[in-house]
Structure formats: C-alpha cells, structure tokens
C-alpha cells in the first residue's frame, strides 16, 4: 500500500510542477486567518509552481491539504501588469504564447510547444523592469491570493457533516438563475425553448417546458449542486476578503480581475482540448468548465448587487473593462498558423534529447516570476 508521501508525490507529479516551494510564511498567515474565521482545522500547506495553475483543497486519509500554486500567482502578476500598463497588444500576445506553450506541455505535445516557446522568446513585456516593483499590482495580487485561498478553504469547511450551504443561499441561487435567464433571453431575443435548448445540457439531461420546471430540476441536479458550491465558495471568499481588507473597491477590482483571468485560462484550455489543429474550429461548443467560469462571474456580480455593495455599477463596468485579454484571445488565435502550416512540423524537428530534459528546458524558457522572489511572499 502506498504511504501518504507517495500519494502526494503522485498527485503533484500529475500537475507538471516547475518546482516545489518549502516555506512562505505570509501565505501560511492567510491560511491561519481564514481557518480561524471559518472555524476549521488548518490544512497542511503544499507549495508548488505547476502548469495546472490552480489552488486546490483536498482530503487524504482524513486530513485536509491545500495546494498553493505559484504559477497561478505568476500568471495573475502578468495579467495585472498588462492591465496596469494599458493593455498593450504585444504584452497580451506574449502572455498567450506562454499560456498556449505551457498547455502544450501539459498535453504532452512538445513538438508544437517549440513553436509557442520560439514566439514567446521573440517578445518582451513592456513592464519587464517593473515586475515586483508596482505597488498597485502587488496589492491586487495580494487580494486575489486571499480570495482564492478563502475560496478553497470554504470547500474544506463544507466537508464537515454539520456544515452546509444555507437554504437562503440556495433560494438566492434559484432566483439568480431566473434573473440571468430572463436577462440573456432579452439580450439574445430568444424564446425560453430556444434559449434553454442550448444550455440545459450542462446540468440536465432533458429540456424543460417552462421556467419553473427548469428551476425545480436544477435544484435537484447533482451537477448543479456542485456548481452552487463553487458559487458559494466565491461568495465566502469575497466576504472574508472584505472583512480583512478595508478597501471594498480594491477588493472588487481584484476579484473581478482574478475571475476574468480564470475565464481566459479556461477558454484557452477549451480551445486546446483537442490539440492545436482544432484551435481555429469556431463551430465547436465550449466546454462545460468554460460555461461554468462565465456563469460564476455573473453569480458573484448578482451577489454584490443583492447585497447593495457601494459602486455596484462600477463593479459591473470593471468586468467589461478588464476583459481586454479575453477579447484579444480570439484575434490571437485567428492569426496563428493554420493546420497545414502547423502540420509542417514533425517529430524530426524535436531536439535529440530525452523528453524529460526537453520538458525541463521548456519550463525554464517560459519562466517569468517565482513567488518567493516577489516581496509579497517572504
């Protein structure tokens, strides 16, 4: 039987880690504070920099663990610097070459990763000399880390049999779905049947006849309950962040930025799921994860609206203002080489070295920022 360390090693190995992080006391302090607020036991904190780029809470043999992923923090730093620097197109494209190239590594496509790594190396971020020296960006990333950690720790709180999502929040979710459905139907000009036939498959295996049947079915759907939990963890993450930081405007800005980045990341993964030859296929449906990402943002905005947070209109506007990266993505993909051009590359173009050495070389090539070299994390 595998021991705990063996299982953890396998779990981390599946994330394609650039490296592991041994000590980061400021992150531990955030975990401690959130655990005290949630009245839960502190998980064992595992630090790494992985191409999965996500924080993750899980249980192993009855003990809670939290993976803190420095590569997600690196991406958030770059994203916020791009926003702060005026949404320079070359900056956005360089980030895309990095994200697409690292996704190729995750998919085991080292051949086409070479294309993205080569393009990545021909660009320079306009803010290169300013990384780690921009207090506004530092503050946003600090808030984003707090929000993401609080989100994951709320999941661990819900593992307790005595803890559940309140009936009032589930009622809010039901009404939120109604509001969002009506809004979208007005925007698209579709009837209920037209609108729902394209979306019901994410949560249901049939097409309901009317709104009430749709809402009733959602509230007993296992898949929808998993989605409710994600939204609830977002709500609690923002709540804990607002309780910790005195500036609600900055907190909302930070969270809207983080969620917009995550939508962009999920969009890239959706585009890449069938390989580089299918990236330009605009007729493919988005993955359910992509749909969930967008819907989560809408839910969080409705949560703010229902709680009458000051400057809610500004918060809605910021979601759009901070979506430049997502909007640029379609143009970036449009100008990538087509299938015929990509097909010119063959395994003969791979360097004559073993795959592990090549992966390590590519990981170093895409490296930009390590969490323990930024002042926030020491």
């Amino acid at each position: 039987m595998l021991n705990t360390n063996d299982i953890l090693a396998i779990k981390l190995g599946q994330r394609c880690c650039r490296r592991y992080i041994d000590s980061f006391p400021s992150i531990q302090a955030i975990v401690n504070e959130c655990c005290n607020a949630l009245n839960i036991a502190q998980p064992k904190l595992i630090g790494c920099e992985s191409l999965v780029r996500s924080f993750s809470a899980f249980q192993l043999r009855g003990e809670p663990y939290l993976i803190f992923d420095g590569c997600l923090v690196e991406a958030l730093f770059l994203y916020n610097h791009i926003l702060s620097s005026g949404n320079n197109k070359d900056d956005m494209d360089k980030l895309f070459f990095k994200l697409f190239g690292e996704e190729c590594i995750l998919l085991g496509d080292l051949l086409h990763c070479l294309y993205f790594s080569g393009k990545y190396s021909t660009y320079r971020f306009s803010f290169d000399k300013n990384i780690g020296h921009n207090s506004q960006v530092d503050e946003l990333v600090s808030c984003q880390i707090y929000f993401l950690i609080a989100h994951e720790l709320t999941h661990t709180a819900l593992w307790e049999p005595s803890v559940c999502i309140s009936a009032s929040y589930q009622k809010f979710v039901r009404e939120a779905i109604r509001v969002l459905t009506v809004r979208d139907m007005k925007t698209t000009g579709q009837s209920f049947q037209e609108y729902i036939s394209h979306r019901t498959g994410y949560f249901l295996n049939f097409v309901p006849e009317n709104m009430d049947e749709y809402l009733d079915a959602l509230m007993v759907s296992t898949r929808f309950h998993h989605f409710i939990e994600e939204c609830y963890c977002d709500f609690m993450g923002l709540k804990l962040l607002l309780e910790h930081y005195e500036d609600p405007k900055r907190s909302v800005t930070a969270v809207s930025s983080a969620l917009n980045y995550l939508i962009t990341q999920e969009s890239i993964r959706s585009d890449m799921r069938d390989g580089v030859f299918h990236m330009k296929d605009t007729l493919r449906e988005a993955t359910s994860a992509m749909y969930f990402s967008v819907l989560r943002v809408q839910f969080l905005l409705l949560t703010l609206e229902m709680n009458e947070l000051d400057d809610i209109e500004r918060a809605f506007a910021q979601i759009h203002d901070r979506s430049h990266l997502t909007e640029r993505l379609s143009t970036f993909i449009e100008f990538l080489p087509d299938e015929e051009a990509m097909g010119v590359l063959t395994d003969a173009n791979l360097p004559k070295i073993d795959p592990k050495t090549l992966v390590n070389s590519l990981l170093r090539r895409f490296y930009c920022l390590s969490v323990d070299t930024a002042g926030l994390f020491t």
Side-chain angles (χ1 to χ4, degrees):
M1 178 182 292
L2 294 175
N3 61 36
T4 299
N5 288 335
D6 291 334
I7 296 172
L8 289 174
I10 292 171
K11 191 174 186 69
L12 290 172
Q14 294 169 342
R15 295 177 69 97
C16 193
C17 290
R18 190 167 69 187
R19 70 186 192 100
Y20 300 100
I21 309 167
D22 294 327
S23 177
F24 35 114
S26 63
I27 302 304
Q28 185 67 62
I30 295 174
V31 172
N32 296 348
E33 186 169 280
C34 289
C35 287
N36 289 335
L38 293 167
N39 195 28
I40 58 174
Q42 293 182 14
K44 181 175 181 180
L45 188 57
I46 301 173
C48 67
E49 293 178 354
S50 88
L51 299 193
V52 175
R53 291 191 300 275
S54 71
F55 296 0
S56 177
F58 63 95
Q59 280 185 312
L60 178 58
R61 294 177 175 164
E63 297 296 325
Y65 290 81
L66 174 65
I67 295 177
F68 174 83
D69 194 333
C71 279
L72 176 55
V73 178
E74 175 191 52
L76 288 172
F77 257 111
L78 296 176
Y79 175 60
N80 284 295
H81 269 291
I82 288 171
L83 295 177
S84 178
S85 301
N87 299 299
N88 180 291
K89 291 180 181 179
D90 285 349
D91 288 342
M92 289 189 268
D93 288 350
K94 183 174 177 68
L95 178 59
F96 287 142
F97 283 122
K98 171 182 171 65
L99 297 179
F100 274 92
E102 291 179 337
E103 197 64 22
C104 282
I105 297 175
L106 267 182
L107 294 171
D109 185 358
L110 302 185
L111 179 63
H112 292 102
C113 179
L114 292 174
Y115 164 78
F116 290 108
S117 69
K119 295 294 289 185
Y120 173 79
S121 64
T122 65
Y123 286 73
R124 289 187 64 84
F125 287 122
S126 65
F127 48 83
D128 264 346
K129 296 180 180 179
N130 203 28
I131 293 181
H133 303 285
N134 184 317
S135 60
Q136 181 183 16
V137 169
D138 290 352
E139 289 168 357
L140 286 174
V141 174
S142 181
C143 289
Q144 289 163 348
I145 290 170
Y146 200 102
F147 166 75
L148 293 168
I149 288 175
H151 172 103
E152 291 300 325
L153 291 175
T154 302
H155 281 299
T156 71
L158 292 172
W159 296 337
E160 297 295 329
S162 59
V163 179
C164 63
I165 299 172
S166 67
S168 62
Y169 186 80
Q170 296 198 47
K171 181 179 179 180
F172 158 75
V173 168
R174 179 187 174 100
E175 292 309 306
I177 283 289
R178 184 193 300 274
V179 169
L180 291 173
T181 301
V182 171
R183 281 184 182 178
D184 287 350
M185 285 168 54
K186 287 181 179 178
T187 301
T188 61
Q190 294 175 308
S191 67
F192 176 78
Q193 287 296 323
E194 290 171 331
Y195 177 84
I196 214 67
S197 63
H198 295 294
R199 293 164 176 80
T200 186
Y202 291 116
F203 298 116
L204 306 175
N205 55 11
F206 73 99
V207 179
E209 294 293 325
N210 53 57
M211 182 72 78
D212 286 337
E213 183 183 1
Y214 176 49
L215 296 175
D216 289 343
L218 284 179
M219 298 312 292
V220 296
S221 163
T222 300
R223 279 181 289 175
F224 190 67
H225 271 275
H226 290 314
F227 175 71
I228 290 178
E229 181 172 328
E230 290 300 322
C231 292
Y232 179 74
C233 291
D234 281 344
F235 164 68
M236 289 299 297
L238 179 59
K239 180 176 181 291
L240 291 175
L241 177 61
L242 290 173
E243 290 173 354
H244 177 74
Y245 286 89
E246 296 180 355
D247 188 346
K249 292 182 181 181
R250 181 183 298 152
S251 296
V252 172
T253 297
V255 172
S256 67
S257 294
L259 292 177
N260 266 324
Y261 166 74
L262 291 172
I263 288 175
T264 303
Q265 178 171 286
E266 194 54 55
S267 180
I268 290 172
R269 290 194 165 147
S270 177
D271 291 331
M272 289 283 287
R273 71 182 187 270
D274 298 320
V276 296
F277 294 130
H278 298 277
M279 288 188 300
K280 291 175 173 283
D281 184 358
T282 58
L283 298 178
R284 290 185 310 155
E285 290 188 3
T287 63
S288 58
M290 178 62 187
Y291 174 72
F292 296 161
S293 295
V294 175
L295 197 56
R296 275 178 62 190
V297 173
Q298 294 176 313
F299 261 75
L300 191 62
L301 289 176
L302 276 177
T303 303
L304 298 175
E305 188 175 27
M306 296 290 285
N307 284 276
E308 300 180 345
L309 187 73
D310 289 341
D311 282 345
I312 185 60
E313 291 185 5
R314 182 190 60 80
F316 274 96
Q318 278 190 344
I319 289 291
H320 175 72
D321 291 343
R322 295 179 169 271
S323 64
H324 295 286
L325 196 73
T326 308
E327 293 166 359
R328 176 66 183 171
L329 179 58
S330 60
T331 304
F332 176 84
I333 292 175
E334 180 183 346
F335 285 100
L336 286 175
D338 58 20
E339 180 177 347
E340 183 178 356
M342 281 289 195
V344 171
L345 292 173
T346 69
D347 288 346
N349 297 109
L350 287 171
K352 304 302 181 183
I353 56 177
D354 69 277
K356 184 176 180 180
T357 300
L358 178 57
V359 166
N360 289 334
S361 174
L362 290 168
L363 287 173
R364 288 193 298 271
R365 190 172 299 178
F366 287 119
Y367 174 89
C368 184
L369 177 74
S370 177
V371 295
D372 52 5
T373 63
L376 285 176
F377 309 103
T378 55

